Amino acid sequence: MEEKLTFEQAMQKLESIANELENDNLDLDTSVKKFEEGMKLSQKCNKILEEAEKKITILVNGEEKDFTVDNAE
């Protein structure tokens, strides 16, 4: 499942899996496979969010450094 998904696509798939697990009468084997897929999607979403947070932190810190330099002049 190493396809390139956006955060939104991964969340949509995760929601779909959650609905299947809650509403469908799945056999145990299928339920476990769906749960595993959901866990992988959840980890992917967390990774995407962490990367976005790092980028934002870098941008904010970069702007703060630029602001400090501008005030010093």
Side-chain angles (χ1 to χ4, degrees):
M1 184 184 65
E2 197 52 40
E3 54 189 292
K4 291 286 185 183
L5 294 175
T6 65
F7 177 78
E8 291 79 9
Q9 290 169 328
M11 285 298 294
Q12 187 175 25
K13 280 189 155 194
L14 186 56
E15 185 177 343
S16 174
I17 289 170
N19 287 334
E20 286 181 64
L21 289 171
E22 288 176 358
N23 300 325
D24 290 349
N25 287 328
L26 302 174
D27 60 68
L28 181 60
D29 196 41
T30 303
S31 293
V32 170
K33 287 178 184 175
K34 291 286 183 181
F35 183 79
E36 287 176 323
E37 184 181 355
M39 290 302 296
K40 288 178 184 177
L41 285 167
S42 176
Q43 291 168 351
K44 180 172 183 59
C45 288
N46 281 333
K47 184 177 177 184
I48 291 170
L49 287 175
E50 287 173 3
E51 289 174 6
E53 183 179 19
K54 286 177 188 176
K55 288 179 185 177
I56 291 169
T57 300
I58 289 168
L59 290 171
V60 167
N61 288 339
E63 288 179 9
E64 287 177 4
K65 287 178 185 173
D66 290 343
F67 180 76
T68 304
V69 171
D70 289 343
N71 283 339
E73 292 177 7

